Each structure stands twice: as C-alpha cells, then as structure tokens.
C-alpha cells in the first residue's frame, strides 16, 4: 500500500511539474521585451519533435504491448490502432467545439477595440489550452503509474509543449491589460488543468485499471499528442515567418534530445 501511495505521489508531482511549465512559459515571455520569431519557431518545432518521437517510440508501443496482453495479439494490435485514431478524433472534436487559439504573438501597442480583442483571445486561449491540458495530465499521471520511465518521458514532452502555450496565453492578456500579474495568473491557471485532470481521471479509473484500460488510454494519448503537433505546434512554427529549415532543425533536435533522455532513463 505504501509503495502504491509513493507511486501515486510521484505521478501527481510529475504531472504538476509539467502543468506548471505553462506558467514558466508565461514568465519567460513577460521577462523579455521582445520575443524573437526564430526562438519561437525553434521552441514550437522542438516541442513537436519531442511529442512526435515519444508518441511513436514510447507510448504507442507501450499501448500495443498492454492491449496485446489483455486482448490477444491480433485484437490487441487492432484496438491500439483504433484507440490511436480515436484520440485524434477526440481532440479534433474538442478543437471544433472550442474557440480557436493561436500560438502567434500579437503586435505591440494595441489600444481600444484591439485591446478588447486581444484580451478575449488570451482568455479563450487559456480556456482552450486548459481543456487540452486535462487529458494530457491524465496521460502523464497514468504513464507514471505504469512506469516511471514512461511517465518522465511523457512529462518532458508535455512540459516542453506547455512553455510556448504559456506564452500564447500571457502575451495577448499582457498587451491588452498592461498587467504582468494578470497575464501570469491566467496562464498559470490553465496549466493547473493538468494535475486536476490527473486527480479526476485517476478517481474515475482507479477501480478498473488493468492492461486493457491502460493500453487504450496510452494509445489515445499518442493520437492526441500527434494531432496537437500537426494541428497546432508545426503550423504555429511556420506562421512565425522564420525559414522552414529552422523548423525542421527544431523538430529533429527535439527528437534527438528526447531519444537521448529516454536512453539515459533506461
């Protein structure tokens, strides 16, 4: 029982740390007078590289292994593929229902209607990203319960991904209100959706967690993370105006760093 409590605490702290990186991204943006488009391109594409790599190299194989144990080789593999695309479909439906949010930076010196528009953009971004963070928190938590190595890998991917998201929330709120504290706390609150998602999800799933349920969760999370990369991070990196080769370099660097970290954790 004590060992289980330790694993639960470790998983929760890992999820909390990943979620708080949204606030870290906010702080980095608020401390700098201007944010270079090249830096933003690299951070977004690096995050995408990390998430794509960990999804296909770590999470998907882990899901397939769990589902093949629970359902048999053929059925388990088919269920993994279906759950992967179900995760993509779920996040696509969330995107369709929610107001769109943009990871690009606003222009300086807004006023009047422009300020109100930016404030609304920042608040909608916080709402949308917060809802996205909910299943990501559950993924990190369940991954850490299953394997500390897998949990750390997912947490690193989510944490890096959350840094530019924090910037995306805080920048429009700051430029609209002129308040760094308001911008930070709105961004910080959206990041708390991850540990909340972990707690709520675990409370709901704990009574029937088994190989099959874990595998379905992992496969869905892999699909969710790949969709976020393709739909949000890479298009946002392209929109910054930096050369597309810089984006490819960021993706590759993210994959290299993630692969090295997973080898060191093995």
């Amino acid at each position: 029982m004590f060992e289980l409590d330790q694993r639960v605490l470790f998983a929760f702290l890992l999820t909390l740390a990943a979620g708080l990186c949204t606030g870290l991204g906010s702080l980095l943006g608020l401390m700098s007078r201007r944010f270079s488009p090249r830096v933003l391109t690299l951070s977004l594409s690096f995050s995408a590289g990390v998430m794509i790599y960990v999804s296909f190299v770590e999470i998907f194989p882990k899901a397939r292994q769990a589902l093949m144990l629970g359902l048999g080789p053929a059925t388990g593999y088919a269920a993994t593929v279906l759950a992967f695309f179900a995760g993509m479909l779920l996040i696509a439906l969330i995107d369709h229902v929610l107001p769109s949010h943009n990871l690009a930076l606003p222009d300086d010196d807004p006023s009047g209607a422009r300020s109100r528009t930016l404030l609304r953009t920042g608040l909608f971004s916080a709402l949308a990203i917060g809802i996205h963070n909910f299943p990501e928190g559950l993924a990190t938590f369940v991954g850490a319960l299953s394997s500390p190595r897998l949990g750390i890998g997912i947490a690193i991917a989510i944490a890096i991904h959350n840094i530019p998201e924090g910037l995306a929330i805080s920048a429009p709120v700051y430029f609209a209100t002129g308040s760094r504290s308001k911008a930070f706390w709105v961004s910080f609150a959206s990041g708390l959706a991850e540990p909340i998602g972990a707690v709520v999800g675990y409370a709901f799933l704990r009574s029937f967690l088994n190989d099959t349920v874990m595998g379905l969760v992992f496969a869905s999370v892999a699909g969710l993370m790949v969709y976020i990369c393709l739909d949000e991070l890479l298009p946002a990196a392209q929109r910054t105006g930096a050369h597309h080769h810089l984006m490819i370099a960021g993706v590759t660097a993210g994959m290299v760093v993630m692969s090295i970290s997973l080898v060191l954790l093995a």
Side-chain angles (χ1 to χ4, degrees):
M1 180 65 180
F2 181 68
E3 182 182 353
L4 177 61
D5 289 343
Q6 282 188 318
R7 284 166 46 205
V8 170
L9 179 61
F10 171 76
F12 177 77
L13 291 176
L14 204 59
T15 306
L16 178 63
L20 292 182
C21 282
T22 305
L24 175 61
S26 174
L27 283 176
L28 291 175
L30 293 173
M31 286 190 301
S32 60
R33 293 186 178 274
R34 297 191 63 84
F35 202 86
S36 166
R38 292 174 62 86
V39 173
L40 187 58
T41 295
L42 278 173
S43 63
L44 290 167
S45 56
F46 184 91
S47 172
V50 167
M51 292 180 71
I52 290 171
Y53 186 90
V54 78
S55 294
F56 284 122
V57 174
E58 282 290 311
I59 304 176
F60 189 91
K62 183 77 174 180
R64 183 177 64 182
Q65 180 183 28
L67 286 169
M68 288 174 68
L69 283 173
L71 302 175
T75 304
Y77 200 167
T80 307
V81 173
L82 289 173
F84 176 86
F85 288 110
M88 296 188 76
L89 178 61
L90 173 63
I91 199 67
L93 291 174
I94 291 174
D95 275 346
H96 179 72
V97 172
L98 290 175
S100 62
H101 60 282
N102 197 327
L103 292 181
L105 289 173
D107 296 328
D108 291 340
D109 302 322
S111 60
R114 174 74 170 161
S115 295
R116 291 191 295 272
T117 299
L118 281 173
L119 180 59
R120 186 174 60 192
T121 297
L123 294 177
F124 280 164
S125 294
L127 173 65
I129 290 172
I131 293 175
H132 278 85
N133 286 348
F134 197 87
E136 290 175 1
L138 176 60
T140 307
F141 188 84
V142 173
L145 279 182
S146 171
S147 162
R149 177 176 180 270
L150 179 61
I152 291 171
I154 297 174
I156 291 171
I158 297 296
I160 295 172
H161 156 63
N162 282 347
I163 291 174
E165 283 192 344
L167 179 62
I169 296 169
S170 63
V173 174
Y174 169 66
F175 284 117
T177 65
S179 171
R180 294 179 187 271
S181 63
K182 288 180 181 178
F184 171 76
W185 287 113
V186 169
S187 173
F188 182 83
S190 72
L192 291 180
E194 292 201 1
I196 292 172
V199 171
V200 173
Y202 180 64
F204 178 73
L205 293 173
R206 63 181 300 179
S207 59
F208 49 92
L209 274 179
N210 54 38
D211 286 336
T212 301
V213 173
M214 296 278 274
L216 290 172
V217 171
F218 287 148
S220 300
V221 165
L224 180 149
M225 291 172 65
V226 169
Y227 181 92
I228 289 173
C229 294
L230 299 179
D231 183 63
E232 295 181 17
L233 297 180
L234 293 178
Q238 187 71 44
R239 283 195 301 269
T240 61
H243 200 281
H244 73 276
H245 283 160
L246 188 64
M247 183 178 73
I248 299 302
V251 171
T252 305
M255 291 183 174
V256 170
V257 170
M258 191 72 246
S259 65
I260 292 173
S261 66
L262 289 174
V263 168
L264 294 176
L265 289 170

